[in-house]
């Protein structure tokens, strides 16, 4: 399900320039740079410890980079952490209302209503979040990330705790967002999800940016069976010494 | 920040069991401490058997009788007597656990005391049977009875001395003596000497009786001097030492008010610590922290919200508790504004300590456990009396008490309740410094929060 990015306007909305993060002597991310266009769906993939979550945290403004910059300010970026960042004792509507007020939106109630409709959670609005299924909690989690109608949405492993049916609904929803012009960047361990839904993939390993391009381009760099993207990805990492 | 306040209050409202426990538990602990500090120890139940027959409890001393049975009442001031009718019954009461001890007065105790006071021979003995199952109870009963027996001994000694001094006075100055229901005049040494001097003056010069009578006069003069000196000496033995008490540190906190201040601070401490630590840790446990601090609210303001929220809740409960307790214990309502100020400062300091704990622990359960484990030692260290431990250990405890808010809070609230020393200024400043210090520690600990 490729997004409409490649076919629409190609102006850059979101860029990272020489992003570096050090924890003491250890370099978690080393001079990462890329540019994304509106409506683009980008997957960040890589082995464990590659720096995927660190990259998304810095793009979201949760962590400060040791050096480098992100072109969009945090308030124009929606952030969906891996674990649902919700208050389990509050209802769905109360969670949305709280963050709408903290975001200082002009009309918090309207934003809550819109998000409940977009995430198809109107019937569960008054239910405590702690009683929702993992899939519905993730929908609320994403809805909060979208409250301010951001230019870009960052999702850290959004489908990791979902069953196949919930995953399908999630990607359908995210595809809709990208279709409406929101740049979406997500990290995932599921390489098949990257191939299936992403316009481009960013491959990280040990804090280094190894590749940015379409899944097809990644397969082309290593050759082999074009029907097996995961094998191509593993071969790619192996060839790069990871 | 108000939306976070509302959110936290909503969360608390939906956890009624937790909130109820948070309020009831510290109040229960505080009341127990308060009662323990302000209530005198209860009287131990002691089986009491006196083998002295009714009417046989008197001893004769000189011209007077002393009824030693009348001193049993003094003994009963510190024990709850279970009167029994035999030694065996008394011991059975102890064995059954009905009484913690048995006090047995032998039948010949009047004779033993009589022998001691008249001849100086003998050692009057009563029997005390203790239950040795519980060493603490045993010590308690032993101390209660021994202390009261000492009082009885002193009282009997005083009475004996009073009789002795009175009799000596009669020997010196004359008087009357009761014997077989009749009163006989007693001449006395001074009167005898006067009569003898008159007799000597009336004798013819050169009378051989003059020399002999003069020797008797000289002896009586010596005896008058000696016995006249002995009377005040004997009197002074009855009360050898008088203690004049002077308080150097100005007005002191009444025991009841002090206990109330401790009870209130203990409640406030538990509530502020647990709320602040838990409410901060919950932000990380719910994974909301990273979402909040990316532009929605700064870490410093988030900490401020937790400190103020926990301080407001804990301060309100503590104030309510003080107001209720004041119905039973005298607290100066005229100083009410100082109650509010001192409780607010104390609550803020404990709230700041709470967020430091929450920031370091990072998980609600760990934060609650850590706050709980810290709370009681903080209180006990601050309450250790100055002379209860040796110098080195006392210095260490003083430092520990100084770096936690309990002692300063107790001084401030104690002063606010009753205007006692030391003044309120320094404790409030101390609490303010601790608030800032703990807030700083919490702020540093938040650096790990988003990881």
């Amino acid at each position: 399900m490729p997004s409409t990015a490649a076919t629409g306007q190609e102006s850059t909305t979101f860029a990272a320039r020489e992003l570096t993060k050090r924890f003491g002597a250890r370099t978690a991310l080393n001079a990462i740079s890329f540019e994304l266009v509106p409506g683009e769906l980008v997957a960040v993939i890589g082995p464990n410890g590659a720096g995927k979550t660190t990259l998304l945290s810095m793009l979201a403004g949760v962590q400060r980079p040791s050096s480098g910059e992100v072109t969009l300010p945090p308030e124009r970026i929606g952030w969906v952490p891996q674990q649902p960042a919700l208050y389990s004792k509050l209802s769905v509507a109360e969670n949305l209302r709280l963050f709408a007020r903290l975001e200082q939106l002009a009309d918090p109630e309207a934003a809550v209503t819109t998000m409940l409709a977009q995430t198809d959670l109107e019937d569960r609005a008054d239910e405590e979040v702690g009683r929702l299924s993992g899939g519905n909690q993730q929908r609320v989690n994403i809805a909060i990330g979208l409250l301010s109608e951001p230019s870009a949405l960052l999702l850290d492993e959004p489908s990791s705790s979902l069953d196949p049916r919930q995953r399908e609904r999630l990607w359908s929803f995210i595809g809709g967002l990208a279709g409406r012009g929101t740049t979406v960047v997500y990290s995932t361990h599921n390489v098949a999800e990257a191939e299936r839904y992403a316009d481009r993939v960013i491959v990280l390993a040990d804090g280094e940016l190894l590749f940015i391009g379409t899944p097809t381009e990644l397969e082309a760099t290593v050759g082999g069976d074009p029907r097996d993207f995961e094998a191509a990805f593993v071969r790619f990492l192996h060839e790069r010494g990871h | 920040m108000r939306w976070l306040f509302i959110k936290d209050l909503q969360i608390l409202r939906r956890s009624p069991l937790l909130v109820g426990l948070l309020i009831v538990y510290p109040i229960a602990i505080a009341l127990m401490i308060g009662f323990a500090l302000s209530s005198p120890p209860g009287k131990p139940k002691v089986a009491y058997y006196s083998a002295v027959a009714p009417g046989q409890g008197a001893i004769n001393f000189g011209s007077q009788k002393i009824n030693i049975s009348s001193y049993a009442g003094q003994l009963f001031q510190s024990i709850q007597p279970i009167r029994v009718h035999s030694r065996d019954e008394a011991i059975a009461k102890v064995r059954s656990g009905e009484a913690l001890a048995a006090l047995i007065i032998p039948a010949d105790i009047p004779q033993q005391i009589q022998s001691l006071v008249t001849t100086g021979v003998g050692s009057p003995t009563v029997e005390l049977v203790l239950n040795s199952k519980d060493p603490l109870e045993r010590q308690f009963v032993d101390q209660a009875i021994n202390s009261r027996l000492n009082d009885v001994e002193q009282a009997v000694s005083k009475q004996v001395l009073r009789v002795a001094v009175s009799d000596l006075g009669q020997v010196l100055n004359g008087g009357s003596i009761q014997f077989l229901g009749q009163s006989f005049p007693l001449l006395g040494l001074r009167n005898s000497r006067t009569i003898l001097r008159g007799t000597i003056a009336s004798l013819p010069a050169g009378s051989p009786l003059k020399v002999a009578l003069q020797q008797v006069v000289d002896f009586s003069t010596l005896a008058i001097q000696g016995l006249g000196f002995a009377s005040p000496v004997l009197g002074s033995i009855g009360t050898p030492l008088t203690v004049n008490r002077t308080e150097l540190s100005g007005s002191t906190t009444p025991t009841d008010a002090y206990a109330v201040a401790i009870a209130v601070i203990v409640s406030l401490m538990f509530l502020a610590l647990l709320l602040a630590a838990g409410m901060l840790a919950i932000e990380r446990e719910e994974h909301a922290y990273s979402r909040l601090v990316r532009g929605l609210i700064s870490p410093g303001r988030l900490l401020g919200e937790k400190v103020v929220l926990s301080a407001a809740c804990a301060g309100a409960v503590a104030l309510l508790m003080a107001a209720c307790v004041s119905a039973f214990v005298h607290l100066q309502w005229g100083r009410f504004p100082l109650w509010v100020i001192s409780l607010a400062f104390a609550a803020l300091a404990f709230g700041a300590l709470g967020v430091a704990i929450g920031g370091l622990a990072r998980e609600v359960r760990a934060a609650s456990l850590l706050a709980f484990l810290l709370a009681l030692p903080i209180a006990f260290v601050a309450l250790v009396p100055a002379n209860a431990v040796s110098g080195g250990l006392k210095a260490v405890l003083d430092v520990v008490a100084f770096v936690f808010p309990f002692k300063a809070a107790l001084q401030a609230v104690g002063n606010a309740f009753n205007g006692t020393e030391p003044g309120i200024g320094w404790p409030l400043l101390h609490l303010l410094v601790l608030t800032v210090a703990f807030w700083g520690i919490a702020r540093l600990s938040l650096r790990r929060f988003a990881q």
Side-chain angles (χ1 to χ4, degrees):
Chain A
M1 188 178 60
S3 76
T4 57
T7 59
Q9 64 277 24
E10 292 280 325
S11 62
T12 298
T13 60
F14 188 24
R17 295 187 181 129
E18 298 289 316
L19 273 185
T20 300
K21 182 68 179 176
R22 296 186 197 89
F23 295 105
R26 187 173 72 85
T27 301
L29 276 181
N30 187 26
I32 307 294
S33 297
F34 53 80
E35 291 187 352
L36 308 178
V37 296
E40 191 172 20
L41 242 169
V42 178
V44 181
I45 55 176
N48 284 336
K52 301 186 291 293
T53 297
T54 304
L55 174 62
L56 290 184
S57 297
M58 285 197 300
L59 293 174
V62 176
Q63 290 191 55
R64 288 184 183 173
S66 304
S67 61
E69 64 169 346
V70 179
T71 56
L72 275 184
E75 53 267 30
R76 290 189 58 197
I77 300 171
W79 166 238
V80 182
Q82 183 177 354
Q83 303 283 347
L86 308 165
Y87 296 103
S88 54
K89 285 279 180 187
L90 300 187
S91 70
V92 173
E94 284 168 343
N95 267 285
L96 289 168
R97 195 174 293 120
L98 168 68
F99 283 100
R101 284 166 171 164
L102 291 173
E103 298 263 13
Q104 297 182 329
L105 301 184
D107 189 349
E109 287 304 324
V112 170
T113 306
T114 304
M115 279 306 124
L116 287 172
Q118 275 196 28
T119 51
D120 204 16
L121 283 168
E122 289 150 308
D123 294 344
R124 320 294 290 270
D126 296 324
E127 208 166 313
E128 273 189 20
V129 162
R131 294 179 184 170
L132 296 179
S133 67
N136 282 335
Q137 286 189 9
Q138 188 63 297
R139 284 157 76 185
V140 183
N141 197 26
I142 294 170
I144 289 173
L146 291 169
L147 273 169
S148 61
E149 299 181 3
S151 304
L153 182 66
L154 309 175
L155 305 104
D156 190 9
E157 302 194 26
S159 62
S160 59
S161 60
L162 306 183
D163 63 34
R165 194 170 57 91
Q166 290 171 331
R167 272 205 295 271
E168 191 61 39
R169 289 175 65 182
L170 171 75
W171 290 117
S172 169
F173 179 72
I174 290 173
L177 285 175
R180 291 193 292 274
T182 306
T183 304
V184 178
V185 182
Y186 64 94
S187 66
T188 181
H189 274 296
N190 188 335
V191 178
E193 271 184 354
E195 181 197 19
R196 187 172 172 191
Y197 301 112
D199 298 316
R200 287 196 290 169
V201 295
I202 292 173
V203 180
L204 294 178
D206 292 337
E208 301 284 344
L209 176 61
L210 301 183
F211 177 85
I212 180 163
T214 65
T216 311
E217 288 168 347
L218 179 69
E219 285 169 331
T221 59
V222 292
D225 183 357
R227 290 168 302 179
D228 191 350
F229 180 71
E230 186 161 347
F233 172 65
V234 173
R235 207 158 47 244
F236 174 82
L237 289 176
H238 186 68
E239 287 179 3
R240 297 295 190 281
H242 296 282
Chain B
M1 201 153 76
R2 71 184 163 126
W3 302 121
L4 283 179
F5 271 124
I6 292 169
K7 178 265 293 180
D8 283 340
L9 290 173
Q10 280 176 323
I11 290 175
L12 287 175
R13 200 184 66 204
R14 282 169 199 173
S15 313
L17 186 65
L18 178 72
V19 173
L21 202 63
L22 269 177
I23 293 172
V24 170
Y25 178 78
I27 288 178
I29 292 276
L31 289 178
M32 280 192 277
I33 293 174
F35 280 132
L37 286 172
S38 62
S39 305
K43 292 179 180 180
K45 282 186 178 174
V46 175
Y48 175 76
Y49 170 60
S50 175
V52 179
Q56 300 297 309
I59 58 170
N60 295 309
F61 183 69
S63 61
Q64 295 187 31
K65 277 187 177 178
I66 300 173
N67 190 349
I68 57 166
S69 300
S70 63
Y71 293 97
Q74 282 199 23
L75 187 64
F76 297 158
Q77 285 176 8
S78 58
I79 64 169
Q80 189 180 336
I82 304 172
R83 292 178 185 273
V84 294
H85 300 96
S86 70
R87 182 178 182 278
D88 290 344
E89 193 183 348
I91 292 172
K93 293 279 183 195
V94 179
R95 283 196 199 286
S96 68
E98 195 177 333
L100 292 173
L103 182 63
I104 297 156
I105 312 295
D108 64 345
I109 194 76
Q111 289 74 31
Q112 290 186 47
I113 296 174
Q114 178 84 59
S115 168
L116 180 66
V117 297
T118 52
T119 66
V121 176
S123 174
T125 304
V126 297
E127 191 178 358
L128 182 64
V129 181
L130 290 163
N131 181 355
S132 60
K133 285 179 200 162
D134 186 331
L136 288 178
E137 279 185 347
R138 180 184 174 173
Q139 187 183 18
F140 172 49
V141 176
D142 205 11
Q143 283 177 350
I145 290 178
N146 277 336
S147 146
R148 198 51 69 183
L149 278 176
N150 285 338
D151 289 347
V152 171
E153 277 177 352
Q154 264 201 344
V156 173
S157 299
K158 271 188 191 174
Q159 181 62 25
V160 168
L161 282 169
R162 266 197 295 274
V163 172
V165 169
S166 165
D167 286 356
L168 271 177
Q170 288 204 352
V171 169
L172 273 170
N173 303 316
S176 62
I177 188 168
Q178 297 291 326
F179 186 69
L180 296 174
Q182 286 193 311
S183 181
F184 297 94
L186 197 66
L187 186 58
L189 276 172
R190 285 198 172 97
N191 293 332
S192 304
R193 187 177 63 178
T194 305
I195 292 169
L196 284 172
R197 279 178 176 160
T199 305
I200 290 170
S202 66
L203 285 173
S207 170
L209 275 176
K210 266 194 170 180
V211 176
L213 287 175
Q214 187 58 47
Q215 285 178 333
V216 178
V217 168
D218 290 345
F219 168 74
S220 61
T221 300
L222 278 174
I224 287 166
Q225 286 173 348
L227 291 177
F229 188 63
S231 292
V233 170
L234 281 174
S236 71
I237 292 169
T239 49
L241 200 60
T242 303
V243 177
N244 274 331
R245 217 172 113 168
T246 307
E247 300 285 356
L248 291 177
S249 58
S251 56
T252 55
T253 309
T255 309
D256 284 352
Y258 182 66
V260 171
I262 291 174
V264 166
I265 296 298
V266 167
S267 294
L268 181 142
M269 172 181 68
F270 266 105
L271 205 51
L273 277 185
L274 288 168
L275 266 184
M279 295 308 284
L280 180 64
I282 208 171
E283 299 292 358
R284 185 175 191 273
E285 203 158 283
E286 301 268 41
H287 309 286
Y289 179 78
S290 62
R291 187 165 256 161
L292 289 174
V293 297
R294 51 179 298 272
L296 301 185
I297 187 165
S298 69
R301 291 189 72 191
L302 181 68
L303 285 180
E305 185 262 333
K306 303 302 176 198
V307 171
V308 172
L309 176 76
S310 59
C313 293
V317 170
L319 195 61
L320 188 66
M321 193 177 161
C324 292
V325 173
S326 71
F328 308 100
V329 176
H330 174 69
L331 303 177
Q332 294 180 16
W333 274 92
R335 298 172 66 84
F336 184 76
L338 290 178
W339 296 17
V340 176
I341 292 170
S342 61
L343 287 173
F345 273 65
L348 286 171
F350 281 115
L353 175 59
V355 291
I357 292 169
L360 293 168
R362 302 200 292 175
E363 291 171 6
V364 176
R365 273 179 293 187
S368 305
L369 184 63
L370 192 56
F372 190 81
L373 290 177
L374 263 176
L376 284 179
I378 287 173
F380 287 136
V381 163
L383 292 173
V384 172
N387 295 321
V389 291
S390 63
L393 181 57
K394 179 63 186 150
V396 172
L397 293 181
D398 281 346
V399 171
V400 175
F402 184 80
V403 299
F404 290 106
F406 195 93
K407 196 166 192 172
L410 189 58
Q411 287 171 344
V413 172
N415 179 280
F417 283 168
N418 280 87
T420 50
E421 297 291 335
I424 201 167
W426 281 112
L428 290 184
L429 181 64
H430 188 179
L431 289 170
L432 188 63
V433 169
L434 290 178
T435 303
V436 173
F438 285 122
W439 186 90
I441 293 170
R443 183 68 189 83
L444 286 175
S445 71
L446 284 189
R447 291 185 177 180
R448 298 189 312 146
F449 235 54
Q451 292 169 22

